Amino acid sequence: MLPPAHYLSLLHCPCSHDSALMLEGAAARCSSCQRRFPIDADGVLEMVDLQWLDSETARELRGNMHYIPPDELTQAVLNERQRMWKSYYSRNRKPNMRQLARELADVSCDEVFFLGCGSGRDVEYVLSFMPLHTVYCSDLSLTSLQQVPYRLQPYALQMGLFTSDLSACPVKARTMPVVSVNALPHTQDIPAPVENLMRQGVHNIFIN
């Protein structure tokens, strides 16, 4: 897994689009507001804190903060992978994921941001149709995000992981594609995250 130092330049602090993040020990610090974002033992940059969230988003996060033992994570991923394209959900997602892979291929990318990626299920769906060199995966829930390395372990790629609130999306990489699958309905203002990215000059936004 990529250490946050590798991709801090692609992110900004939620406080300002113009801010920079600097590595400071086991944390990243904002150059503007001086807020510190811890980096956990697994190398996940934690950019979400309950005290900064609106009440509805905080309530959703609290519902996704349970601990899952590593052996259970591994088995859950294996079980779901065996059902890929067989379960009702994945059968219905297959045409969309194939089309998304085609659209990503059209912009000639090998690095992609996946925002609101949950446990990485839809990231794996995309990877079943196209190879990627690097994925930067983010979700509101650290518990969900911790499942991503287990899910993507069979794929020859690099990954960076960071928690974030879609309503205060910290991505500032303008040319790298940004993908969000089934995540916007979990925000309080569905158009706002896309509008914020567009205002920052992000060119390739894929909403599915």
Side-chain angles (χ1 to χ4, degrees), residues 13 45 77 85 87-88 92 97 111 126 135 139 155 174 182 201:
C13 176
L45 176 62
V77 168
W85 311 135
S87 70
Y88 177 82
N92 281 272
M97 296 297 98
E111 293 184 295
V126 171
V135 293
D139 195 75
Y155 299 89
R174 295 183 176 181
N182 289 347

Side-chain angles (χ1 to χ4, degrees), residues 52-123:
W52 305 330
L53 302 175
D54 63 72
S55 59
E56 287 300 315
T57 305
R59 184 168 63 178
E60 179 169 347
L61 178 57
R62 288 190 186 96
N64 288 279
M65 295 177 71
H66 52 283
Y67 173 72
I68 305 176
D71 57 335
E72 290 185 19
L73 280 176
T74 301
Q75 191 58 50
V77 168
L78 289 174
N79 291 342
E80 194 166 81
R81 185 173 294 122
Q82 289 171 357
R83 296 193 305 271
M84 185 182 286
W85 311 135
K86 298 175 185 177
S87 70
Y88 177 82
Y89 177 86
S90 63
R91 287 200 311 273
N92 281 272
R93 297 303 300 157
K94 188 172 184 177
N96 291 12
M97 296 297 98
R98 183 187 289 115
Q99 180 59 32
L100 175 57
R102 290 190 187 119
E103 292 172 0
L104 287 171
D106 285 343
V107 297
S108 301
C109 65
D110 63 358
E111 293 184 295
V112 177
F113 275 100
F114 286 90
L115 304 182
C117 74
S119 65
R121 177 173 55 180
D122 290 303
V123 180

Side-chain angles (χ1 to χ4, degrees), residues 129-206:
F129 292 111
M130 69 178 299
L132 290 168
H133 179 271
T134 306
V135 293
Y136 301 103
C137 298
S138 184
D139 195 75
L140 182 70
S141 166
L142 179 62
T143 300
S144 295
L145 204 60
Q146 287 171 333
Q147 301 176 49
V148 175
Y150 293 87
R151 184 176 296 281
L152 302 188
Q153 189 175 18
Y155 299 89
L157 52 67
Q158 300 185 85
M159 74 185 80
L161 304 179
F162 62 99
T163 60
S164 69
D165 177 9
L166 265 177
S167 299
C169 179
V171 174
K172 69 176 180 182
R174 295 183 176 181
T175 57
M176 194 180 301
V178 172
V179 172
S180 183
V181 179
N182 289 347
L184 291 180
H186 294 275
T187 64
Q188 298 307 301
D189 183 355
I190 291 177
V194 179
E195 292 169 352
N196 288 338
L197 287 168
M198 292 175 67
R199 276 195 292 269
Q200 293 174 64
V202 178
H203 302 308
N204 297 309
I205 306 171
F206 298 85

